[in-house]
Amino acid sequence: MLPSATSEPGLSRAAFRYRCIGCDDLSDAARPKFRCPRCGDLLEIIYPSRKSAQESLNPEHLKSAWKQRRLSSLAVDRSGVWRFREFLPALEKEEQAITLCEGNTPLYELPQCARLTGVPRLFAKHQGMNPTGSFKDTGMTVAASFARQAGFRWVACASTGNTSASMAAYAARGGMRSLVLVPEGKISWSKLSQALDYGAVTCQLRTDFDGCLRLLQELVLRAPLYQLNSINPFRLEGQKTLALELLEQFDWQPPDHIIVPGGNLGNSSAIGKGLVEMREAGLIARLPKLSIIQAEGANALVRTLREAGGKRLIPVQAETRATAIRIGNPASWKKALHVLEATGGTCEQVTEMEIAQAKAEIGGEGVGCEPASAVTLAGLKKLVRQGFVKPHESVVLVLTGHLLKDPDFTMEFHRGDLFQGTASESEAVLEPLRRPPIILDANLDAVIRVLEQAEKTGALDNHG
């Protein structure tokens, strides 16, 4: 028998209900498609009992309890998600959580990128340091735990890669089977290999991500599968703990800006939800501005705001090498709009060239990330030029995936092959960032000449 997780006097587990983001309908259960039976909109999880509890709950008590749990040896306390369980839906038994010790990800300073952008206080919250290499783990631990509690033997997702890797890992950890639907030829082999290794039944469909998701929505009505895409509100509850952990790392003093990549828009929605709930609980006094950056070739939210004033979604045929955000019909677009409005954030787009440059610049800090993560730095440059981000303000870039999620992109960049055969803007700006491997005979003098040349080039770079 496992020992019980640590409990604190006055800190109760959170009872929850489902609320429609469109018509505000409340319910105690959710249908397989996780949509409102009245209007068809997405659901979110709320905690009706929390408001009355907050009147007697001291925020400092919460902060102290969360910090103390870091010293515990219990898995549920060592998780950077379940450690904040007063802000999560309550499992019947806390030890039933399926966890791989997710969360607890590092916050890095980025001094070189700070100089490039003119923003001295620049940080990166690296969610790629999660167990399967992406931010998805923080949501999957919660959603998979509730799938198992509900008695499901199979879980399923549509994916561009990271979701499939994470879901397959947590399903295997929890003794469940997993079904993965991915678009053929549009997923990094590194990500797909994870799902295969974790035992997922994997189907490569001749369609894009949006087509995979549409099929999954039909499938869950015909088969006993529990859907684990980000339309599942339990996923977003887990992912919002990034905001709690980040503010804890900032000693509960909010940064001025948080910048997030935008794909299916669940993560930005989750982080914003966490920020709003923290302010309501008295944990922070003000909200950071949360902004969303998309690839120019997958810019549905950008176009929705600019061309439709946010009134209706404008889907696009997504095309970008940043595969994690190659999504043209984002499910959580309304939730993301609510977050932008609540926090005073904005939405911007960046080109493939800007993504590649930013990725190499982040890598120059010794902090690797997948291409989708690099849109945050590329977007920050634009927001600084526009005056939206001021030089004296503090900025956190959310890096959503690990460098090794898409090594082909990195190798093609450094070899100079990334934009070969494409009509892209001049690549001259990328040349100083490229570090291709140098092929030599096994000769000592040849290696010394390379070192001497690198020393000269480095001296020029340092004084340029």
Side-chain angles (χ1 to χ4, degrees):
M1 175 71 72
L2 290 172
S4 297
T6 58
S7 298
E8 306 293 335
L11 302 184
S12 61
R13 297 186 301 171
F16 66 92
R17 298 191 76 191
Y18 300 95
R19 180 173 65 192
C20 172
I21 65 168
C23 67
D24 289 329
D25 184 53
L26 291 175
S27 60
D28 294 321
R31 297 188 175 189
K33 293 177 70 171
F34 291 107
R35 290 189 176 273
C36 175
R38 291 177 55 184
C39 72
D41 228 323
L42 291 180
L43 305 177
E44 65 179 354
I45 286 175
I46 63 166
Y47 307 91
S49 61
R50 183 179 288 163
K51 289 189 182 297
S52 58
Q54 283 169 0
E55 296 174 3
S56 59
L57 191 61
N58 186 338
E60 296 306 316
H61 191 184
L62 277 174
K63 295 174 186 178
S64 175
W66 293 336
K67 186 176 181 179
Q68 186 65 27
R69 284 175 186 161
R70 296 178 71 96
L71 303 176
S72 170
S73 61
L74 295 168
V76 73
D77 289 333
R78 288 187 287 116
S79 165
V81 173
W82 294 103
R83 184 162 64 88
F84 300 105
R85 53 189 170 272
E86 287 76 24
F87 269 59
L88 296 176
L91 288 165
E92 291 174 359
K93 295 181 180 179
E94 290 170 346
E95 59 267 26
Q96 292 177 345
I98 303 171
T99 175
L100 291 166
C101 295
E102 54 289 317
N104 302 311
T105 56
L107 180 70
Y108 297 122
E109 290 190 56
L110 300 178
Q112 295 180 47
C113 293
R115 287 192 293 272
L116 288 171
T117 58
V119 179
R121 292 188 293 158
L122 180 59
F123 304 85
K125 177 67 170 165
H126 204 331
Q127 294 297 90
M129 298 302 182
N130 270 292
T132 75
S134 86
F135 73 96
K136 306 287 187 176
D137 295 347
T138 58
M140 206 60 71
T141 179
V142 177
S145 296
F146 276 90
R148 186 171 67 174
Q149 180 174 279
F152 282 88
R153 294 178 54 248
W154 281 85
V155 293
C157 73
S159 179
T160 58
N162 285 331
T163 298
S164 63
S166 182
M167 181 196 71
Y170 281 84
R173 191 70 175 171
M176 296 179 288
R177 301 291 306 279
S178 59
L179 172 69
V180 166
L181 306 181
V182 296
E184 185 183 28
K186 298 178 180 179
I187 176 175
S188 163
W189 287 112
S190 300
K191 299 174 183 178
L192 186 57
S193 68
Q194 290 180 277
L196 299 178
D197 220 34
Y198 301 143
V201 175
T202 304
C203 301
Q204 292 184 273
L205 306 184
R206 297 185 184 95
T207 182
D208 57 12
F209 167 80
D210 301 304
C212 291
L213 186 58
R214 283 193 296 271
L215 183 61
L216 179 61
Q217 291 272 280
E218 297 173 13
L219 185 60
V220 295
L221 299 178
R222 299 268 304 271
L225 299 167
Y226 190 80
Q227 184 175 184
L228 287 181
N229 279 94
S230 60
I231 60 174
N232 182 322
F234 290 107
R235 277 273 310 276
L236 302 196
E237 291 305 289
Q239 287 168 213
K240 79 183 181 188
T241 59
L242 177 148
L244 289 153
E245 187 176 282
L246 174 63
L247 268 294
E248 184 181 59
Q249 290 170 318
F250 270 91
D251 198 25
W252 304 101
Q253 300 302 311
D256 295 299
H257 296 270
I258 298 174
I259 301 179
V260 188
N264 213 24
L265 302 176
N267 200 37
S268 49
S269 304
I271 296 169
K273 187 175 188 289
L275 293 170
V276 169
E277 290 182 1
M278 277 191 285
R279 186 179 63 175
E280 290 174 348
L283 291 164
I284 57 174
R286 63 176 179 83
L287 295 177
K289 291 184 171 116
L290 189 145
S291 295
I292 300 168
I293 311 297
Q294 295 194 298
E296 199 173 70
N299 61 350
L301 185 63
V302 172
R303 292 191 60 186
T304 294
L305 286 164
R306 295 179 182 177
E307 299 173 27
K311 302 299 182 185
R312 58 183 175 84
L313 177 67
I314 299 182
V316 301
Q317 187 66 43
E319 189 53 54
T320 173
R321 283 295 301 267
T323 56
I325 54 174
R326 187 194 280 155
I327 297 169
N329 190 15
S332 296
W333 68 277
K334 285 186 181 179
K335 291 184 178 182
L337 288 179
H338 293 162
V339 165
L340 293 179
E341 183 179 357
T343 68
T346 189
C347 186
E348 188 51 85
Q349 62 185 358
V350 292
T351 68
E352 297 296 291
M353 190 77 71
E354 289 168 333
I355 295 170
Q357 180 180 356
K359 182 181 179 304
E361 289 166 347
I362 294 170
E365 301 268 15
V367 179
C369 66
E370 70 173 341
S373 299
V375 302
T376 55
L377 178 60
L380 171 62
K381 295 176 185 177
K382 287 193 169 183
L383 299 184
V384 170
R385 290 197 296 270
Q386 294 165 7
F388 184 80
V389 175
K390 309 295 191 298
H392 66 273
E393 293 180 315
S394 55
V395 179
V396 176
L397 309 179
V398 176
L399 306 183
T400 46
H402 196 278
L403 168 71
L404 296 180
K405 285 287 189 173
D406 199 345
D408 289 345
F409 183 103
T410 305
M411 291 304 298
E412 288 177 32
F413 173 84
H414 287 289
R415 288 197 306 251
D417 302 334
L418 188 61
F419 296 105
Q420 197 171 54
T422 64
S424 58
E425 60 261 47
S426 171
E427 294 187 51
V429 67
L430 303 181
E431 198 57 42
L433 297 167
R434 288 186 173 131
R435 300 290 183 268
I438 301 166
I439 301 174
L440 300 171
D441 290 329
N443 181 286
L444 180 61
D445 290 336
V447 175
I448 289 175
R449 283 194 295 271
V450 169
L451 281 172
E452 290 172 345
Q453 182 60 38
E455 181 68 22
K456 291 177 184 177
T457 306
L460 289 173
D461 290 344
N462 291 335
H463 296 91

